[in-house]
């Protein structure tokens, strides 16, 4: 039996078909990052909110209101606990446009009445957040809300 030789025409057609098949798929597309679950999104928002609250307390503390340090420290403990439930992926490098768009507006001057109001509103918000999370996270958020409600009552009337 004699080996069969492929004709030039068969090789050209086969090569063209192979090239067409290869080029139609193109390079692999980057995988799309899975979006966060509603619970993870809520936790990230809660962490960001708590960090803003900590910044307000820190601003007053740096101005001499040392008696507010325990309040701020409890908020920091909340953030530390919340972070245990959120895995943070590395963020893509910021571009000049995204940095300018994410720059927050200057916050109003911190005061005790502003902190008291912030604590009261935060505690009320926690109740509405409980139905969207797992039981363990719901317990944590409820505890944070109870602490915020206590802060609203325990904050001193003056410094």
């Amino acid at each position: 039996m004699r080996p069969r030789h492929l004709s030039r025409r068969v090789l050209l057609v086969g090569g063209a078909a192979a090239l067409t098949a290869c080029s139609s798929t193109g390079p692999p597309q980057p995988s799309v990052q899975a979006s966060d679950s509603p619970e993870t999104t809520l936790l990230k928002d809660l962490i960001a909110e708590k960090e803003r609250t900590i910044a307000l307390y820190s601003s007053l503390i740096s101005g001499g209101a040392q008696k507010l340090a325990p309040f701020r420290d409890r908020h920091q403990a909340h953030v530390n606990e919340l972070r245990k439930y959120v895995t943070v992926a590395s963020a893509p490098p910021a571009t000049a446009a995204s940095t300018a768009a994410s720059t927050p507006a200057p916050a109003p001057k911190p005061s005790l009445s502003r902190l008291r109001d912030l604590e009261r509103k935060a505690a009320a918000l926690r109740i509405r957040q409980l139905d969207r999370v797992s039981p363990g996270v719901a317990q944590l958020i409820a505890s944070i809300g109870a602490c915020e409600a206590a802060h609203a009552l325990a904050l001193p009337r003056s410094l």
Side-chain angles (χ1 to χ4, degrees), residues 37-40 42-43 85 129-142:
S37 70
E39 181 173 289
T40 300
L42 172 67
L43 291 171
Y85 291 89
Q129 294 171 330
L130 297 178
D131 65 341
R132 303 183 326 207
V133 295
S134 63
V137 173
Q139 185 177 14
L140 175 60
I141 290 174

Side-chain angles (χ1 to χ4, degrees), residues 11-27:
L11 284 174
L12 288 174
V13 170
L19 285 175
T20 303
C22 290
S23 65
S24 67
T25 59

Side-chain angles (χ1 to χ4, degrees), residues 75-128:
H75 283 286
Q76 186 60 57
H78 298 159
V79 169
N80 295 343
E81 194 62 32
L82 288 165
R83 283 191 176 136
K84 292 178 183 178
Y85 291 89
V86 179
T87 55
V88 179
S90 61
T95 62
S98 67
T99 305
S102 65
T103 304
K109 184 178 176 188
S111 67
L112 283 174
S113 62
R114 180 165 159 32
L115 282 174
R116 193 174 294 103
D117 188 48
L118 182 76
E119 296 280 14
R120 198 176 297 117
K121 287 178 181 176
L125 178 61
R126 301 301 164 243
I127 296 167
R128 294 188 302 272

